[in-house]
Amino acid sequence: MLIRLQLAFLVIACLSVLAAFFPQFSDTYLIFEGNKVLDGQVWRVFTSHICHTNWSHLVMNLLALALLMSLFNEVYTLASFLCVLVLAGIGIGLVYILFYPAGTQYLGLSGVLHAVASAGAIMSIKARRLFALVFLLGLIAKLIYEFTVGASESLAVMINARVAVEAHLVGALVGGLFGAYKLSRQTS
């Protein structure tokens, strides 16, 4: 199964690098904009996650994805990994459509990363209880910090954009729900 997950990572990485090499195409056709999604360009709900503001943003997100996939590779099947990606994309897209102005743009993998992290941690509770619980507490603390103190200013400068903390929260919630569902299926 690890080979399939590695292949999924390579596909995401290649698509992200390709999008970075063609920023005008990405800006025009791939980045999430609520009004364009409502006009029928629904692919943007998913393609926006392979687009990044700059190379630093891209490399940081891909390294984080690689780390999360290595931490949680024993609990993810290819199907469950892809399911988390799709559900996170839909959840994040819905939040931006419902609660943000129609022209709001969203791009980057960080919301999906939070989904992968929370689902992976919850699904690994049976096998690695202490690690999973400490990881979840750290994730929750990070989200609370982002919503009370604010996202790191240096991170915003590095990625040349506002950090989308709402996407982090939605991703973590979607991933958490998916992880809890999968965990309940393991125990029943």
Side-chain angles (χ1 to χ4, degrees), residues 1-150:
M1 193 51 61
L2 182 60
I3 302 246
R4 290 184 183 162
L5 286 175
Q6 289 170 337
L7 234 116
F9 173 80
L10 283 175
V11 168
I12 293 167
C14 288
L15 290 173
S16 296
V17 169
L18 193 61
F21 274 115
F22 299 99
Q24 285 185 294
F25 179 84
S26 298
D27 291 350
T28 305
Y29 298 107
L30 302 180
I31 291 174
F32 180 92
E33 284 185 52
N35 54 345
K36 292 181 179 176
V37 172
L38 293 173
D39 285 342
Q41 297 179 22
V42 293
W43 64 84
R44 290 173 180 270
V45 168
F46 305 106
T47 58
S48 61
H49 302 287
I50 62 166
C51 300
H52 294 82
T53 55
N54 57 33
W55 288 98
S56 296
H57 189 202
L58 170 69
V59 169
M60 182 181 55
N61 275 306
L62 290 179
L63 288 173
L65 181 60
L67 176 65
L68 290 170
M69 290 177 83
S70 68
L71 285 174
F72 300 117
N73 68 61
E74 78 280 353
V75 295
Y76 274 112
T77 63
L78 181 61
S80 64
F81 179 72
L82 294 176
C83 195
V84 167
L85 297 183
V86 168
L87 291 173
I90 292 169
I92 292 165
L94 281 173
V95 164
Y96 280 107
I97 287 170
L98 296 173
F99 300 109
Y100 287 83
T104 300
Q105 292 186 333
Y106 172 78
L107 65 155
L109 200 53
S110 61
V112 171
L113 292 172
H114 283 73
V116 170
S118 63
I122 290 172
M123 289 188 299
S124 67
I125 282 177
K126 281 182 78 175
R128 299 186 301 170
R129 184 175 206 84
L130 181 61
F131 170 78
L133 293 175
V134 169
F135 188 93
L136 282 171
L137 285 174
L139 182 61
I140 291 166
K142 175 196 178 290
L143 292 167
I144 290 170
Y145 181 86
E146 285 181 339
F147 273 88
T148 56
V149 176

